[in-house]
Amino acid sequence: MHRPPSTRLRCYLHTINPILNQHCRSISTASTLSYNASPDRITSQRDWNTNDEFFKFTRGRFLVNEAENLRTREIRFDMNHLARAAAESIGATQCISIQKYPDGMFNKAFLMTMDNGREIVAKVPNPNAGVPHFTTASEVATMDFARTVLNTPAPRVYTWNSHAESHPVGAEFIIMEKSEGIPLSHVWDTLKLPQKLQVLLTMTRLQKEWLSVSFSHYGGLYYAQDVQPPPDSHYVKDGKAVYDSKFAIGPATGRDWVDAGRSMLNIERGPWSSLSQYLQAVGTRETQAIQSLKLPKQIALLCGPKLYQPDTEKKLTILTWYQQIIDALIPKDTAITKPRLWHNDLHDDNIFVDPHNPETITGIIDWQSCHISPLFSHNPDPAFLHWDGLEPETLDLVPRPNLSGLSPEERSAAVSEYTVHNVFIGWRKLMHAKNPDLYRAVTFRNTPSYGLIFLAHRMFEYGEAHFQSLLVDMEDTWGDLPAMTSDVPFPFHFSEADIERIKLDSDGAVAGTELVAEVKEQLDDLWPDKGFIEHERYDDCKAALQEIKNQILDQLAETDEERTEYERYWPFE
């Protein structure tokens, strides 16, 4: 518990990184709509409502709370009226075919072809997508802002509705243009290193545009007529304040305000004029979630008698501590604390490129839940980089691996690791040179202060053991925090018994995280990310999980009571 500060931090990053990566993957895999993927069904009939699969989740199965997961991803609406609205929005007479894209975790998307040959995309949010009205209204305004102010190729919206009860469709929807090009996922692995670096250079330029704009408040972006904005709501473009009557700042729409039942909470959702207010509201939100919602089953770490067991009272106590030290955690660098709008889900199915010139980005889709928050809280790195390691200690490229004596499989793995590492280093070099504010945000994201802020944002699901351990360690460096002075004492006292208990909790949580890593390694492509697996792999996945579960129980459970406890915490059905 009393390792040197640099060693403690690297240890923290090593243990918390799987949780950070799991959270990021939960965004990227969950929202995939892959608008150029093979359709589930092509239909040319006139009564579209007879196709039951349009309304249900058909992409695969769940191994965690399947009934509930399917229920929250089924939505009934009038497809005939949706097709009619789509046709009218672009001046066509009628829709002649509908293709359903593979389900996203929060939305359904359809490719509609009109009698005049034009194709458009229709998107309908599932019940779990977010707070009614605000989620759709914010997504539409954000796409418009991205395209017209941030010079980003976001889809153009032809028509939309954010009040389900007010329209014959009976659901919220967005009718938008189909992005040109092909998903980056179709070509990324085939691109040569110089081509990949050109894609990254284009992404760097886009992020530079995003960095050129900050906002007066933290929250979500809307059209002014869809919310009641604060009187001084505005944005700043290249240093100049813009009081635009078209756009306004309203309630937050990020996934951490929605997931695991949070959308049902009666809480303050912003906007907020200061970072301290915003972070305090996060603590209040997590407190109410813990007090009023059922704790979700956890797959970021396994729990049980010899591991860590979630504790409601500890969670609430920690949030009280968090709210006492928020101001001390906030960095003084205003460039990384200003409210910024960002696309946090830059995986390779959300980015479209020119098939004849794949270095050219032609479209970025899926702006749902993009929100205005401090730069340091946004994901700086595109998911298509496939970087799961710790932050590199230097920006030096790694040398080519020695492939002599390796099997073909080993050579392939070594070359892949070398490529991924150096592409990521190339990305960091571009960021350092072109977007230094973003690079400084990355630096802050590798500090204990950011770790505490991040864990507080997800305290309802997990994080209390890691939070306690980080907080105890912070006593040694409290005076080094930018917001602190030497005469402000560390506000908590931990006895030796407290420290020992916290160490046991932390060790148990680390062991649970490492167990998940081992299970994922054993399952490989059978691992059910976010509890989801495709139909064709469901039986094999379920059988493999049952075998692994039996192994874990045989190894850890010494009594029938302990076995029952492990069974209770086991997340998979």
Side-chain angles (χ1 to χ4, degrees):
M1 218 44 172
H2 293 284
R3 297 178 292 272
S6 60
T7 304
R8 289 200 303 269
L9 181 54
R10 297 291 290 182
C11 181
Y12 152 72
L13 291 171
H14 177 73
T15 58
I16 200 64
N17 205 50
I19 293 179
L20 279 162
N21 289 333
Q22 187 268 345
H23 172 55
C24 291
R25 278 192 297 271
S26 78
I27 296 173
S28 61
T29 59
S31 56
T32 301
L33 288 174
S34 192
Y35 293 165
N36 273 30
S38 300
D40 289 344
R41 174 69 64 89
I42 302 177
T43 313
S44 59
Q45 63 191 58
R46 292 299 173 264
D47 186 5
W48 311 110
N49 292 328
T50 62
N51 295 297
D52 200 45
E53 65 210 43
F54 281 167
F55 313 105
K56 292 186 175 182
F57 184 90
T58 57
R59 180 176 157 196
R61 300 277 309 266
F62 290 91
L63 289 126
V64 179
N65 297 330
E66 181 168 54
E68 176 67 9
N69 273 305
L70 292 177
R71 183 189 68 79
T72 59
R73 290 169 175 83
E74 178 176 344
I75 181 166
R76 295 287 167 171
F77 57 92
D78 193 316
M79 181 66 86
N80 295 329
H81 276 102
L82 184 64
R84 190 174 306 145
E88 292 174 353
S89 73
I90 59 170
T93 303
Q94 62 178 344
C95 174
I96 61 172
S97 76
I98 297 177
Q99 302 176 31
K100 181 189 178 187
Y101 290 111
D103 287 277
M105 290 295 178
F106 305 113
N107 305 275
K108 304 196 184 309
F110 308 89
L111 179 64
M112 294 184 171
T113 304
M114 304 303 157
D115 57 352
N116 61 5
R118 291 187 63 184
E119 294 179 323
I120 58 89
V121 171
K123 183 175 181 180
V124 178
N126 292 330
N128 67 338
V131 179
H133 166 62
F134 294 101
T135 301
T136 297
S138 181
E139 181 176 6
V140 171
T142 299
M143 284 193 287
D144 189 358
F145 190 90
R147 191 180 63 259
T148 60
V149 179
L150 300 180
N151 300 311
T152 299
R156 185 182 304 276
V157 173
Y158 298 123
T159 189
W160 59 287
N161 175 60
S162 63
H163 296 284
E165 70 286 350
S166 70
H167 198 282
V169 170
E172 299 181 32
F173 64 83
I174 303 173
I175 307 294
M176 65 187 114
E177 67 179 342
K178 179 175 179 279
S179 291
E180 296 181 1
I182 60 173
L184 181 60
S185 59
H186 290 191
V187 296
W188 177 254
D189 289 338
T190 67
L191 297 181
K192 297 186 182 302
L193 186 57
Q195 291 176 298
K196 289 184 175 183
L197 292 177
Q198 282 299 314
V199 173
L200 296 183
L201 181 59
T202 303
M203 187 59 62
T204 298
R205 291 170 180 153
L206 286 176
Q207 290 189 339
K208 190 176 187 66
E209 289 282 354
W210 304 351
L211 289 167
S212 72
V213 174
S214 62
F215 295 82
S216 58
H217 293 72
Y218 303 86
L221 187 65
Y222 300 84
Y223 291 130
Q225 68 266 24
D226 291 316
V227 293
Q228 295 181 330
D232 58 342
S233 173
H234 66 277
Y235 64 90
V236 178
K237 170 75 170 173
D238 294 325
K240 298 180 180 179
V242 180
Y243 291 86
D244 191 330
S245 59
K246 183 178 182 180
F247 297 105
I249 306 170
T253 56
R255 290 239 57 90
D256 59 323
W257 293 87
V258 173
D259 287 345
R262 291 181 182 86
S263 63
M264 305 301 294
L265 295 173
N266 182 19
I267 54 175
E268 177 196 4
R269 297 180 182 271
W272 302 274
S273 60
S274 77
L275 180 52
S276 180
Q277 291 173 352
Y278 166 67
L279 295 178
Q280 288 284 356
V282 168
T284 301
R285 179 196 73 202
E286 293 301 279
T287 297
Q288 289 200 22
I290 292 163
Q291 291 172 334
S292 59
L293 300 175
K294 181 181 178 182
L295 288 178
K297 287 196 171 183
Q298 185 53 251
I299 63 173
L301 70 164
L302 296 181
C303 301
K306 292 184 178 65
L307 303 171
Y308 183 73
Q309 296 172 276
D311 188 294
T312 296
E313 290 305 315
K314 287 179 183 177
K315 288 175 182 286
L316 293 174
T317 297
I318 286 166
L319 286 170
T320 300
W321 294 346
Y322 161 74
Q323 291 182 311
Q324 292 179 48
I325 62 171
I326 282 173
D327 290 338
L329 302 178
I330 295 174
K332 284 193 172 298
D333 185 353
T334 57
I336 71 173
T337 60
K338 286 180 181 177
R340 308 275 189 176
L341 182 66
W342 209 258
H343 195 305
N344 286 293
D345 196 10
L346 294 174
H347 62 78
D348 51 12
D349 276 325
N350 277 346
I351 299 170
F352 283 68
V353 297
D354 183 340
H356 305 294
N357 183 19
E359 301 97 293
T360 300
I361 294 176
T362 58
I364 296 181
I365 66 170
D366 201 0
W367 294 81
Q368 187 181 79
S369 301
C370 292
H371 55 283
I372 300 169
S373 66
L375 179 61
F376 68 73
S377 73
H378 289 304
N379 185 4
D381 303 319
F384 62 79
L385 295 176
H386 304 301
W387 180 259
D388 285 331
L390 297 176
E391 185 68 22
E393 294 186 351
T394 74
L395 296 184
D396 297 331
L397 296 175
V398 298
R400 287 183 175 274
N402 182 0
L403 303 179
S404 61
L406 300 181
S407 68
E409 294 79 11
E410 291 170 333
R411 284 199 297 271
S412 177
V415 170
S416 176
E417 182 180 353
Y418 160 79
T419 302
V420 168
H421 194 121
N422 277 346
V423 167
F424 188 78
I425 291 294
W427 168 248
R428 276 289 179 269
K429 284 177 174 287
L430 283 171
M431 184 187 295
H432 184 267
K434 305 291 185 180
N435 293 328
D437 287 352
L438 188 58
Y439 189 83
R440 294 204 301 277
V442 166
T443 301
F444 177 69
R445 285 168 67 93
N446 286 277
T447 66
S449 293
Y450 173 76
L452 292 172
I453 292 172
F454 169 80
L455 291 169
H457 273 66
R458 292 283 174 169
M459 190 58 61
F460 174 46
E461 289 106 327
Y462 50 70
E464 61 268 28
H466 292 300
F467 190 105
Q468 291 179 102
S469 181
L470 271 181
L471 189 60
V472 168
D473 284 348
M474 184 170 276
E475 182 173 6
D476 296 337
T477 57
W478 177 255
D480 298 332
L481 293 178
M484 289 296 99
T485 59
S486 58
D487 60 341
V488 179
F490 185 66
F492 310 109
H493 171 71
F494 297 104
S495 67
E496 287 301 318
D498 292 331
I499 292 174
E500 182 60 27
R501 174 186 56 78
I502 289 170
K503 183 179 186 305
L504 287 173
D505 285 349
S506 177
D507 290 347
V510 169
T513 304
E514 291 174 345
L515 260 180
V516 170
E518 291 174 16
V519 173
K520 291 173 72 173
E521 185 176 359
Q522 281 186 259
L523 290 180
D524 196 20
D525 62 354
L526 284 179
W527 171 254
D529 195 25
K530 294 298 288 180
F532 166 84
I533 196 76
E534 292 81 3
H535 288 289
E536 63 272 17
R537 297 192 291 167
Y538 175 80
D539 290 338
D540 290 341
C541 176
K542 190 168 185 178
L545 282 170
Q546 183 61 47
E547 182 179 349
I548 289 173
K549 173 187 174 183
N550 291 337
Q551 293 173 1
I552 291 175
L553 293 184
D554 290 343
Q555 177 184 349
L556 294 180
E558 297 181 0
T559 65
D560 290 342
E561 289 77 12
E562 286 189 356
R563 192 175 188 89
T564 299
E565 279 295 284
Y566 282 116
E567 290 268 10
R568 183 168 71 88
Y569 283 114
W570 182 254
F572 304 106
E573 296 174 351

